[in-house]
Amino acid sequence: MYYVAHRLFAAHDRALGALIARKLADKAGHDAVFLPFCDTDEEALVAPVKGLRLFELDQDRLRTITGMIAVLHGPSLDDGVCMEIGYAAALGVPVVALTTDFLTYSAGERTTRWEFPDPLVETLATRIIRVDRLGEPEDVLDRFDAFTTRNGVQVELAAAAAVNAVLTASQGPHPLPVRTLVRPGTVFLEPSPYAPHPAALHEAARAQATAVMTPSRFTARDSLAAARSDWDMALRAESLVLDVSGPETPPGAALLTGAAAALGRRVAAFQPRPTYTHAHGREPNWRNLMIQYGTRTHLGDPQALAHWLAS
């Protein structure tokens, strides 16, 4: 079973996911592909708590898959897709990350560049498919038609390459599932790059924990090695506290949410200023539903963290 993870909130994003799913189904079989929103019938689904039901349906499939194509574009990565990547990676499922983004990223002007805004993404991806240039120009009189065609060719090439990559990855040696010994009493704090990290949050964690760990990938000389170390450190912690503040949940927090959900780790989301989203038939969500139900616990201030850790 293959899972196509993609942004859901605009028609062109859903159409891209459908294109990839179609190409994958042509090679793997129609029943071997799961496409969120489409296969959960999100627009028509009626449930007492719709967002929770959608999360449960997606999680059920994530536990059965043999490969994932994850579509990631731009400096603000979709938090639901990142959560799904973290979930799959924790279970040892090969993840092919697909991007047509022409930007690369780094912590400084002359430091090591990353394919995505957070180097943790590429340490978890089994393979990255990057098609960052338009298709070859054609002899078309209208420049807008020509530009449309060149973008279409670029997307078709990227989708085909990602499908071939995930089929190959699923047949070869798989990444190993996460199997780490949890250190009792330890807390991993993942800050948000979009908001100041409140010192009171760290103090509240230290008052209750035997050790408080924080990531180093954005300041280390070797950011990719540090990202791997951050991942291992986070999943050895007994409790994870993830600052999900920002326009979307930061990629690192979203990736760790998925891993914690897959492994049954104790995890809480810290967000002092939530913004709620609303969709037809769905309860208000304070973050992407994959984050909201992947963490379950929502902390609004450092004092709430102290109570949660003590409980």
Side-chain angles (χ1 to χ4, degrees):
M1 174 63 68
Y2 298 93
Y3 193 109
V4 179
H6 63 101
R7 191 183 290 272
L8 303 178
F9 307 111
H12 62 273
D13 291 318
R14 296 191 293 272
L16 175 58
L19 170 68
I20 296 167
R22 174 73 271 161
K23 289 183 177 294
L24 185 53
D26 287 343
K27 292 194 172 185
H30 188 276
D31 293 333
V33 179
F34 178 76
L35 182 63
F37 200 104
C38 170
D39 291 335
T40 52
D41 196 17
E42 181 164 334
E43 197 158 272
L45 178 69
V46 177
V49 186
K50 183 173 178 175
L52 175 59
R53 182 57 184 148
L54 290 167
F55 172 81
E56 292 169 343
L57 291 170
D58 289 348
Q59 184 177 230
D60 288 346
R61 287 305 174 98
L62 284 166
R63 290 200 168 276
T64 67
I65 60 174
T66 54
M68 172 184 286
I69 296 176
V71 185
L72 295 169
H73 290 115
S76 181
L77 300 182
D78 184 83
D79 44 4
V81 173
C82 288
M83 185 274 187
E84 291 161 331
I85 291 173
Y87 202 111
L91 296 181
V93 174
V95 176
V96 172
L98 167 63
T99 183
T100 58
D101 190 355
F102 55 81
L103 297 174
T104 53
Y105 305 85
S106 68
E109 291 185 20
R110 294 179 177 83
T111 57
T112 303
R113 295 183 183 182
W114 320 314
E115 299 289 330
F116 302 101
D118 190 323
L120 186 55
V121 176
E122 56 199 271
T123 66
L124 300 185
T126 309
R127 176 89 184 274
I128 297 172
I129 299 297
R130 184 181 181 87
V131 182
D132 57 351
R133 303 298 297 271
L134 295 172
E136 292 298 320
E138 296 185 2
D139 188 15
V140 179
L141 292 178
D142 186 275
R143 71 182 190 279
F144 301 125
D145 288 343
F147 186 61
T148 298
T149 299
R150 294 184 70 188
N151 278 279
V153 169
Q154 181 183 13
V155 168
E156 290 278 349
L157 290 172
V163 166
N164 290 335
V166 78
L167 291 173
T168 300
S170 66
Q171 294 165 4
H174 289 191
L176 294 176
V178 171
R179 303 201 189 285
T180 56
L181 293 176
V182 176
R183 296 169 56 191
T186 56
V187 175
F188 184 88
L189 289 180
E190 173 75 12
S192 169
Y194 305 124
H197 189 55
L201 191 68
H202 201 278
E203 293 170 5
R206 288 185 63 184
Q208 297 293 335
T210 58
V212 178
M213 300 172 285
T214 56
S216 64
R217 62 190 180 278
F218 292 109
T219 56
R221 183 180 298 274
D222 187 342
S223 54
L224 294 177
R228 174 55 65 180
S229 177
D230 290 348
W231 173 257
D232 293 339
M233 188 192 312
L235 299 185
R236 286 198 303 270
E238 183 177 45
S239 302
L240 285 78
V241 181
L242 314 173
D243 191 336
V244 301
S245 301
E248 294 185 83
T249 303
L255 292 162
L256 292 172
T257 296
L263 300 174
R265 297 294 164 79
R266 195 165 185 251
V267 56
F270 175 74
Q271 187 190 28
R273 294 191 182 117
T275 299
Y276 286 82
T277 58
H278 308 267
H280 179 70
R282 190 196 295 178
E283 70 280 13
N285 291 143
W286 47 263
R287 283 274 78 164
N288 183 299
L289 67 89
M290 299 300 282
I291 305 299
Q292 178 162 322
Y293 293 110
T295 56
R296 299 298 176 110
T297 299
H298 184 203
L299 306 175
D301 59 70
Q303 193 59 41
L305 170 60
H307 290 307
W308 180 72
L309 290 173
S311 64

